[in-house]
Short mmCIF file of all heavy atoms in Angstrom, two decimals:
data_model
loop_
_atom_site.label_atom_id
_atom_site.label_comp_id
_atom_site.label_asym_id
_atom_site.label_seq_id
_atom_site.Cartn_x
_atom_site.Cartn_y
_atom_site.Cartn_z
N LYS A 1 -47.20 44.37 -15.53
CA LYS A 1 -46.05 45.23 -15.83
C LYS A 1 -45.77 46.20 -14.69
O LYS A 1 -44.64 46.59 -14.47
CB LYS A 1 -46.29 46.01 -17.12
CG LYS A 1 -46.29 45.16 -18.35
CD LYS A 1 -46.52 46.02 -19.60
CE LYS A 1 -46.61 45.17 -20.83
NZ LYS A 1 -46.89 45.98 -22.03
N ALA A 2 -46.84 46.56 -13.98
CA ALA A 2 -46.70 47.49 -12.85
C ALA A 2 -46.24 46.78 -11.58
O ALA A 2 -46.04 47.42 -10.55
CB ALA A 2 -48.02 48.20 -12.59
N GLY A 3 -46.05 45.47 -11.64
CA GLY A 3 -45.58 44.72 -10.48
C GLY A 3 -46.68 44.22 -9.57
O GLY A 3 -46.40 43.71 -8.48
N ASN A 4 -47.93 44.31 -9.99
CA ASN A 4 -49.06 43.84 -9.17
C ASN A 4 -49.39 42.38 -9.51
O ASN A 4 -49.45 42.02 -10.69
CB ASN A 4 -50.30 44.70 -9.39
CG ASN A 4 -50.06 46.14 -9.02
OD1 ASN A 4 -49.41 46.43 -8.03
ND2 ASN A 4 -50.56 47.06 -9.83
N PRO A 5 -49.62 41.55 -8.50
CA PRO A 5 -49.99 40.16 -8.78
C PRO A 5 -51.43 40.09 -9.30
O PRO A 5 -52.28 40.90 -8.94
CB PRO A 5 -49.87 39.48 -7.42
CG PRO A 5 -50.04 40.57 -6.42
CD PRO A 5 -49.51 41.82 -7.06
N TRP A 6 -51.70 39.11 -10.17
CA TRP A 6 -53.04 38.88 -10.69
C TRP A 6 -53.28 37.37 -10.78
O TRP A 6 -52.33 36.59 -10.81
CB TRP A 6 -53.25 39.52 -12.06
CG TRP A 6 -52.32 39.01 -13.12
CD1 TRP A 6 -51.11 39.51 -13.46
CD2 TRP A 6 -52.53 37.85 -13.95
NE1 TRP A 6 -50.54 38.76 -14.46
CE2 TRP A 6 -51.40 37.73 -14.78
CE3 TRP A 6 -53.54 36.93 -14.08
CZ2 TRP A 6 -51.26 36.71 -15.72
CZ3 TRP A 6 -53.41 35.91 -15.02
CH2 TRP A 6 -52.28 35.81 -15.83
N LYS A 7 -54.55 37.01 -10.82
CA LYS A 7 -54.91 35.60 -11.05
C LYS A 7 -56.29 35.54 -11.68
O LYS A 7 -57.10 36.46 -11.53
CB LYS A 7 -54.85 34.79 -9.77
CG LYS A 7 -55.79 35.22 -8.68
CD LYS A 7 -55.59 34.35 -7.45
CE LYS A 7 -56.36 34.93 -6.28
NZ LYS A 7 -56.19 34.12 -5.09
N LYS A 8 -56.55 34.46 -12.40
CA LYS A 8 -57.86 34.24 -12.99
C LYS A 8 -58.13 32.75 -13.11
O LYS A 8 -57.21 31.94 -13.19
CB LYS A 8 -58.00 34.93 -14.35
CG LYS A 8 -57.25 34.27 -15.48
CD LYS A 8 -57.57 34.96 -16.80
CE LYS A 8 -56.80 34.32 -17.95
NZ LYS A 8 -57.15 34.90 -19.23
N LYS A 9 -59.43 32.42 -13.08
CA LYS A 9 -59.89 31.05 -13.29
C LYS A 9 -60.77 31.04 -14.53
O LYS A 9 -61.43 32.03 -14.83
CB LYS A 9 -60.73 30.57 -12.10
CG LYS A 9 -59.95 30.40 -10.82
CD LYS A 9 -60.90 29.92 -9.72
CE LYS A 9 -60.21 29.82 -8.39
NZ LYS A 9 -61.16 29.43 -7.32
N GLU A 10 -60.78 29.91 -15.24
CA GLU A 10 -61.59 29.79 -16.46
C GLU A 10 -62.34 28.46 -16.46
O GLU A 10 -61.82 27.44 -15.99
CB GLU A 10 -60.70 29.87 -17.70
CG GLU A 10 -60.01 31.20 -17.87
CD GLU A 10 -59.13 31.24 -19.10
OE1 GLU A 10 -58.43 30.23 -19.38
OE2 GLU A 10 -59.14 32.27 -19.79
N TRP A 11 -63.56 28.50 -17.00
CA TRP A 11 -64.41 27.33 -17.14
C TRP A 11 -65.07 27.35 -18.51
O TRP A 11 -65.21 28.39 -19.13
CB TRP A 11 -65.54 27.33 -16.11
CG TRP A 11 -65.11 27.33 -14.69
CD1 TRP A 11 -64.91 26.25 -13.88
CD2 TRP A 11 -64.86 28.48 -13.87
NE1 TRP A 11 -64.54 26.65 -12.62
CE2 TRP A 11 -64.50 28.02 -12.59
CE3 TRP A 11 -64.88 29.85 -14.09
CZ2 TRP A 11 -64.20 28.87 -11.55
CZ3 TRP A 11 -64.57 30.70 -13.05
CH2 TRP A 11 -64.23 30.21 -11.80
N VAL A 12 -65.52 26.18 -18.95
CA VAL A 12 -66.36 26.07 -20.14
C VAL A 12 -67.72 25.59 -19.67
O VAL A 12 -67.82 24.57 -18.98
CB VAL A 12 -65.77 25.11 -21.19
CG1 VAL A 12 -66.71 24.98 -22.38
CG2 VAL A 12 -64.40 25.57 -21.63
N LEU A 13 -68.77 26.34 -20.02
CA LEU A 13 -70.14 25.99 -19.67
C LEU A 13 -70.92 25.71 -20.94
O LEU A 13 -70.64 26.29 -21.99
CB LEU A 13 -70.83 27.12 -18.91
CG LEU A 13 -70.48 27.29 -17.44
CD1 LEU A 13 -69.17 28.01 -17.27
CD2 LEU A 13 -71.58 28.01 -16.74
N GLU A 14 -71.90 24.83 -20.82
CA GLU A 14 -72.83 24.58 -21.92
C GLU A 14 -74.18 25.12 -21.50
O GLU A 14 -74.67 24.80 -20.41
CB GLU A 14 -72.92 23.09 -22.23
CG GLU A 14 -73.78 22.78 -23.43
CD GLU A 14 -73.69 21.32 -23.82
OE1 GLU A 14 -74.08 20.47 -23.01
OE2 GLU A 14 -73.23 21.04 -24.93
N THR A 15 -74.78 25.95 -22.36
CA THR A 15 -76.04 26.60 -22.01
C THR A 15 -77.14 25.56 -21.85
O THR A 15 -77.18 24.54 -22.54
CB THR A 15 -76.45 27.63 -23.06
OG1 THR A 15 -76.57 26.98 -24.33
CG2 THR A 15 -75.45 28.76 -23.15
N LEU A 16 -78.05 25.84 -20.91
CA LEU A 16 -79.20 24.97 -20.65
C LEU A 16 -80.45 25.60 -21.24
O LEU A 16 -80.49 26.79 -21.52
CB LEU A 16 -79.40 24.82 -19.14
CG LEU A 16 -78.25 24.18 -18.36
CD1 LEU A 16 -78.57 24.19 -16.87
CD2 LEU A 16 -78.00 22.76 -18.83
N ASN A 17 -81.50 24.79 -21.38
CA ASN A 17 -82.82 25.26 -21.82
C ASN A 17 -82.77 25.98 -23.16
O ASN A 17 -83.46 26.97 -23.35
CB ASN A 17 -83.46 26.16 -20.76
CG ASN A 17 -83.65 25.45 -19.45
OD1 ASN A 17 -83.90 24.25 -19.44
ND2 ASN A 17 -83.52 26.17 -18.37
N ALA A 18 -81.96 25.52 -24.05
CA ALA A 18 -81.88 26.12 -25.38
C ALA A 18 -82.08 25.03 -26.42
O ALA A 18 -81.68 23.89 -26.21
CB ALA A 18 -80.54 26.80 -25.58
N GLN A 19 -82.66 25.41 -27.54
CA GLN A 19 -82.85 24.43 -28.61
C GLN A 19 -81.49 23.95 -29.12
O GLN A 19 -81.32 22.78 -29.41
CB GLN A 19 -83.66 25.04 -29.74
CG GLN A 19 -83.98 24.05 -30.83
CD GLN A 19 -84.87 24.65 -31.91
OE1 GLN A 19 -85.21 25.81 -31.87
NE2 GLN A 19 -85.23 23.84 -32.88
N TYR A 20 -80.55 24.87 -29.23
CA TYR A 20 -79.20 24.55 -29.69
C TYR A 20 -78.22 25.00 -28.61
O TYR A 20 -77.79 26.15 -28.60
CB TYR A 20 -78.89 25.24 -31.01
CG TYR A 20 -79.87 24.89 -32.10
CD1 TYR A 20 -80.83 25.80 -32.52
CD2 TYR A 20 -79.85 23.64 -32.70
CE1 TYR A 20 -81.74 25.47 -33.51
CE2 TYR A 20 -80.75 23.30 -33.68
CZ TYR A 20 -81.69 24.22 -34.09
OH TYR A 20 -82.59 23.90 -35.07
N PRO A 21 -77.86 24.10 -27.67
CA PRO A 21 -76.93 24.49 -26.60
C PRO A 21 -75.60 24.97 -27.16
O PRO A 21 -75.10 24.45 -28.16
CB PRO A 21 -76.76 23.21 -25.79
CG PRO A 21 -77.94 22.37 -26.14
CD PRO A 21 -78.30 22.72 -27.55
N ARG A 22 -75.06 25.99 -26.53
CA ARG A 22 -73.78 26.58 -26.94
C ARG A 22 -72.76 26.40 -25.82
O ARG A 22 -73.10 26.38 -24.65
CB ARG A 22 -73.93 28.08 -27.19
CG ARG A 22 -75.00 28.43 -28.17
CD ARG A 22 -74.49 28.30 -29.57
NE ARG A 22 -75.46 28.86 -30.50
CZ ARG A 22 -75.69 28.36 -31.68
NH1 ARG A 22 -75.03 27.32 -32.09
NH2 ARG A 22 -76.57 28.90 -32.47
N LYS A 23 -71.52 26.30 -26.19
CA LYS A 23 -70.44 26.26 -25.22
C LYS A 23 -69.86 27.66 -25.10
O LYS A 23 -69.62 28.33 -26.10
CB LYS A 23 -69.38 25.27 -25.65
CG LYS A 23 -69.87 23.83 -25.58
CD LYS A 23 -68.82 22.86 -26.06
CE LYS A 23 -69.26 21.44 -25.94
NZ LYS A 23 -70.39 21.08 -26.77
N VAL A 24 -69.68 28.11 -23.84
CA VAL A 24 -69.20 29.46 -23.58
C VAL A 24 -68.04 29.37 -22.58
O VAL A 24 -68.19 28.76 -21.51
CB VAL A 24 -70.32 30.35 -22.98
CG1 VAL A 24 -69.81 31.74 -22.70
CG2 VAL A 24 -71.53 30.38 -23.90
N LYS A 25 -66.90 29.95 -22.94
CA LYS A 25 -65.78 30.03 -22.00
C LYS A 25 -65.94 31.28 -21.17
O LYS A 25 -66.10 32.38 -21.70
CB LYS A 25 -64.43 30.07 -22.72
CG LYS A 25 -63.25 30.04 -21.73
CD LYS A 25 -61.93 30.24 -22.43
CE LYS A 25 -61.77 31.69 -22.69
NZ LYS A 25 -60.59 32.36 -22.37
N VAL A 26 -65.95 31.10 -19.84
CA VAL A 26 -66.10 32.24 -18.93
C VAL A 26 -64.86 32.30 -18.05
O VAL A 26 -64.13 31.31 -17.89
CB VAL A 26 -67.37 32.12 -18.07
CG1 VAL A 26 -68.62 32.12 -18.93
CG2 VAL A 26 -67.34 30.90 -17.18
N GLN A 27 -64.63 33.50 -17.51
CA GLN A 27 -63.47 33.67 -16.64
C GLN A 27 -63.85 34.49 -15.42
O GLN A 27 -64.85 35.20 -15.42
CB GLN A 27 -62.33 34.36 -17.38
CG GLN A 27 -62.63 35.81 -17.71
CD GLN A 27 -61.47 36.47 -18.41
OE1 GLN A 27 -60.53 35.82 -18.84
NE2 GLN A 27 -61.52 37.78 -18.52
N CYS A 28 -63.05 34.35 -14.40
CA CYS A 28 -63.21 35.13 -13.19
C CYS A 28 -61.84 35.68 -12.85
O CYS A 28 -60.87 34.94 -12.76
CB CYS A 28 -63.74 34.24 -12.08
SG CYS A 28 -64.15 35.12 -10.61
N PHE A 29 -61.74 37.00 -12.71
CA PHE A 29 -60.45 37.66 -12.60
C PHE A 29 -60.31 38.35 -11.24
O PHE A 29 -61.27 38.89 -10.71
CB PHE A 29 -60.32 38.69 -13.72
CG PHE A 29 -58.94 39.24 -13.90
CD1 PHE A 29 -57.97 38.51 -14.57
CD2 PHE A 29 -58.61 40.47 -13.39
CE1 PHE A 29 -56.70 39.01 -14.74
CE2 PHE A 29 -57.33 40.99 -13.55
CZ PHE A 29 -56.38 40.25 -14.23
N GLY A 30 -59.11 38.35 -10.71
CA GLY A 30 -58.81 39.10 -9.49
C GLY A 30 -59.37 38.47 -8.23
O GLY A 30 -59.40 37.25 -8.07
N ASP A 31 -59.85 39.34 -7.32
CA ASP A 31 -60.35 38.87 -6.02
C ASP A 31 -61.56 37.97 -6.15
O ASP A 31 -61.80 37.12 -5.29
CB ASP A 31 -60.70 40.06 -5.13
CG ASP A 31 -59.48 40.88 -4.74
OD1 ASP A 31 -58.36 40.33 -4.79
OD2 ASP A 31 -59.65 42.07 -4.41
N ARG A 32 -62.33 38.13 -7.18
CA ARG A 32 -63.53 37.29 -7.35
C ARG A 32 -63.16 35.83 -7.58
O ARG A 32 -63.96 34.94 -7.33
CB ARG A 32 -64.37 37.80 -8.52
CG ARG A 32 -65.06 39.09 -8.19
CD ARG A 32 -66.25 39.30 -9.11
NE ARG A 32 -67.02 40.43 -8.66
CZ ARG A 32 -67.10 41.58 -9.31
NH1 ARG A 32 -66.48 41.73 -10.45
NH2 ARG A 32 -67.83 42.56 -8.83
N SER A 33 -61.96 35.58 -8.08
CA SER A 33 -61.58 34.19 -8.34
C SER A 33 -61.45 33.39 -7.04
O SER A 33 -61.50 32.16 -7.08
CB SER A 33 -60.28 34.13 -9.15
OG SER A 33 -59.21 34.67 -8.41
N ASP A 34 -61.31 34.07 -5.90
CA ASP A 34 -61.29 33.36 -4.62
C ASP A 34 -62.69 32.96 -4.18
O ASP A 34 -62.88 31.93 -3.54
CB ASP A 34 -60.65 34.23 -3.53
CG ASP A 34 -59.16 34.45 -3.77
OD1 ASP A 34 -58.52 33.59 -4.39
OD2 ASP A 34 -58.66 35.51 -3.35
#
């Protein structure tokens, strides 16, 4: 809304080394997405 550009990336990961693996959606926002 302030006129600043933004970007983000998203992935789905499945946990390792767990009795019951879970799926987790993670994101990376801003400069870290590069």
Side-chain angles (χ1 to χ4, degrees):
K1 291 180 184 178
N4 300 320
W6 61 269
K7 62 182 170 180
K8 74 175 179 176
K9 293 180 184 177
E10 296 179 319
W11 299 268
V12 177
L13 282 80
E14 185 172 63
T15 58
L16 299 176
N17 300 327
Q19 184 176 3
Y20 302 106
R22 305 277 189 216
K23 291 178 177 65
V24 179
K25 184 186 79 131
V26 298
Q27 68 178 12
C28 186
F29 192 79
D31 294 338
R32 288 201 171 111
S33 64
D34 292 332

